[in-house]
Amino acid sequence: MDLQLSGRVAVVTGASKGIGLAVTRTLLDEGARVVAVSRRSTPELEALGGPGLLQVSADLMDPEAPGQIVARAVEAFGGLDVLVNNAGGPPPGVALPRFSFLAPTDEDWRAMFEFNLFSVVRTVRAAIPRMLQRGGGSIVNVSSGGARQAASMNVDYNAAKAGLNNLTKALSEEFGPQGIRVNTVSPGPVRTAWWTEEGGAADIIAAQAGTDRDTVINSVAPEMMRLTTGRLVEPQEVADVIALLASPRSASTTGADFAVDSGFLKEI
């Protein structure tokens, strides 16, 4: 299916690995020109290099970064049509999960909201005027199943993502009549570095459960989270949904939330 993304300009944050890398690759394959934003590059991102890819090093904890990123996109490619706010999860230097409401400090809460909500607010604020100049666009915010599944584990992260869902609805209402669609994609646990790297979620859970990283990824986490498919989500599965929402083929889809979560959310 042609997603009609050829020649369109997209900004993807958190683009160096995991979901963001898969989104970047997918959009490039569809003919889009992509500004790939990350704190550091990776060999996998470097391998995608070509005339349609601009890599921008930026720290989204810096309030000035979002405006600079959008300016680079306009300078390089002449405008902006698609924004994928994928960067999120543990702020730099933080390891999740945390298992109790009492675990995060005030500073932990501030950092979590700065990275997972306020950085999105600033990036959207910078992007919308540029999209309006093009007659519209698509914004996809990567949220989490935890935004709708309250739990004591990662309570600060889940609260930030719940705020992101609310923000997305509000943006879709205000800017939908002007041609800008805004949606969320809510992954469950995804097989990314957050889980798989040394000191990541799998190692933390393994220490609590008295087992090893691979066992957590392959059986403990799917059972603990009651995943219907019995496995973690693959990054490409999330990227495919994001690409469809970015596409004009989704012209009547706005203010919606799409769960790509292996059956994590059980509610109607």
Side-chain angles (χ1 to χ4, degrees):
M1 180 173 65
D2 179 8
L3 294 183
Q4 302 172 9
L5 288 168
S6 181
R8 294 180 184 264
V9 180
V11 167
V12 180
T13 66
S16 64
K17 55 188 176 180
I19 295 171
L21 179 66
V23 171
T24 299
R25 182 186 300 113
T26 302
L27 294 179
L28 287 171
D29 287 346
E30 291 292 330
R33 293 171 291 175
V34 181
V35 178
V37 181
S38 59
R39 288 193 301 276
R40 293 174 296 276
S41 188
T42 59
E44 293 81 5
L45 181 58
E46 295 286 348
L48 300 179
L53 177 66
L54 172 65
Q55 295 184 51
V56 174
S57 176
D59 182 357
L60 290 171
M61 299 287 277
D62 175 2
E64 301 300 318
Q68 295 167 356
I69 291 163
V70 171
R72 289 288 303 279
V74 173
E75 178 184 5
F77 297 129
L80 181 61
D81 304 294
V82 174
L83 170 62
V84 180
N85 286 305
N86 167 70
V94 174
L96 295 180
R98 299 186 180 110
F99 294 98
S100 169
F101 165 76
L102 297 176
T105 64
D106 279 3
E107 186 52 41
D108 291 329
W109 277 87
R110 290 188 192 98
M112 190 65 71
F113 270 69
E114 188 71 43
F115 191 42
N116 287 279
L117 182 59
F118 300 152
S119 68
V120 175
V121 169
R122 296 182 185 113
T123 308
V124 171
R125 185 187 292 140
I128 281 177
R130 296 301 189 174
M131 288 184 172
L132 291 175
Q133 289 174 356
R134 307 268 275 196
S138 174
I139 298 172
V140 184
N141 296 324
V142 178
S143 185
S144 167
R148 291 195 282 148
Q149 182 65 58
S152 57
M153 187 169 70
N154 296 337
V155 61
D156 50 344
Y157 171 75
N158 293 341
K161 290 300 191 181
L164 179 61
N165 284 13
N166 189 287
L167 170 67
T168 299
K169 285 281 191 181
L171 291 169
S172 72
E173 282 295 301
E174 181 173 357
F175 294 102
Q178 300 173 69
I180 299 177
R181 298 180 297 105
V182 194
N183 296 284
T184 51
V185 172
S186 292
V190 183
R191 191 182 288 267
T192 63
W194 180 354
W195 280 85
T196 61
E197 69 184 2
E198 184 175 354
D203 280 351
I204 294 171
I205 294 171
Q208 292 279 326
T211 186
D212 60 84
R213 182 190 308 169
D214 289 342
T215 301
V216 168
I217 291 171
N218 294 325
S219 60
V220 173
E223 291 171 8
M224 177 181 69
M225 303 182 77
R226 299 173 58 223
L227 302 183
T228 304
T229 64
R231 64 170 178 83
L232 271 60
V233 181
E234 295 296 333
Q236 188 62 52
E237 295 169 328
V238 184
D240 289 342
V241 175
I242 292 172
L244 181 59
L245 289 172
S247 164
R249 301 295 290 263
S250 296
S252 291
T253 303
T254 192
D257 177 51
F258 288 78
V260 188
D261 64 359
S262 294
F264 169 66
L265 287 172
K266 308 298 184 184
E267 294 80 8
I268 300 297

